[in-house]
Amino acid sequence: MGTTLLVIWGIATFGSVLGTALAYYRFRIKTYPRPIRIHPITILKPIKGLAPGVLDAIESFFHLKYLPGDELIFCAESVSDIAYLEVWGLIYQYPDVPAKVQVKPTQLCMNPKINNIWESYCEARNERILISDDNAIADADYLDRLDAEFQEGVLTGVILVRDPESFA
């Protein structure tokens, strides 16, 4: 009986070690060479109001690595919106970032974000356009990584949530 338990324990231990090793090999973090972006990008960010954490998310886009020809366009519905005023403060704080705010709402559809960005979308200077919600946070090489994956058509950039209490 004791030998049988010892054999079963040995097999279970071996299986656990083997399973851990296989999981490590399969799911380890792979390192890739850092992509270098060569295509200019237009970023459209619809803004309206300031939910908790939104100003930090907006400011993260002022820390991206921009190329000549890139543009960061904030699209507001009204000049009286608090987000409009706060974004102008960030533009003043980061004068080297190619950012601007446009107030050109249309009545294209029922979605107010689409209505706010439509005119800016039509006037975008670049072929590659990123539409990014105001609560999306980006790290400095976000555009490089997106551009490396872009082939043609539409590219969706998955965002990571840091503050789920701020969702409406």
Side-chain angles (χ1 to χ4, degrees), residues 79-97:
V79 295
S80 61
D81 189 330
I82 186 68
Y84 174 87
L85 301 172
E86 292 291 338
V87 166
W88 269 114
L90 290 170
I91 290 172
Y92 179 76
Q93 186 178 345
Y94 299 97
D96 295 334
V97 174

Side-chain angles (χ1 to χ4, degrees), residues 1-164:
M1 177 80 170
T3 307
T4 306
L5 287 177
L6 187 59
V7 169
I8 292 173
W9 178 83
I11 292 172
T13 302
F14 176 75
S16 295
V17 170
L18 180 63
T20 302
L22 289 174
Y24 172 78
Y25 176 75
R26 172 70 176 93
F27 297 110
R28 72 185 181 278
I29 296 174
K30 298 175 182 148
T31 58
Y32 298 99
R34 296 188 75 96
I36 298 174
R37 184 165 62 97
I38 58 172
H39 302 97
I41 294 177
T42 296
I43 303 170
L44 302 177
K45 288 189 81 64
I47 54 172
K48 184 172 183 174
L50 285 180
V54 166
L55 192 56
D56 291 335
I58 290 172
E59 188 171 6
S60 74
F61 276 75
F62 284 85
H63 298 284
L64 296 177
K65 295 186 292 187
Y66 288 101
L67 294 177
D70 285 345
E71 55 184 348
L72 173 59
I73 304 173
F74 295 93
C75 308
E77 185 176 319
S78 165
V79 295
S80 61
D81 189 330
I82 186 68
Y84 174 87
L85 301 172
E86 292 291 338
V87 166
W88 269 114
L90 290 170
I91 290 172
Y92 179 76
Q93 186 178 345
Y94 299 97
D96 295 334
V97 174
K100 61 184 175 182
V101 184
Q102 292 187 339
V103 179
K104 297 183 176 183
T106 61
Q107 284 302 319
L108 186 67
C109 64
M110 298 291 291
N111 187 327
K113 289 182 181 181
I114 300 298
N115 291 336
N116 288 348
I117 68 169
W118 180 251
E119 290 295 325
S120 298
Y121 174 80
C122 292
E123 296 170 7
R125 292 190 317 227
N126 298 308
E127 189 175 290
R128 296 180 182 214
I129 298 173
L130 168 65
I131 300 172
S132 173
D133 274 343
D134 60 354
N135 64 345
I137 298 172
D139 57 354
D141 65 345
Y142 180 62
L143 296 178
D144 294 340
R145 288 183 287 114
L146 282 180
D147 189 61
E149 295 298 323
F150 190 86
Q151 300 295 322
E152 60 181 270
V154 177
L155 175 67
T156 301
V158 178
I159 61 170
L160 193 59
V161 177
R162 287 200 305 190
D163 186 16

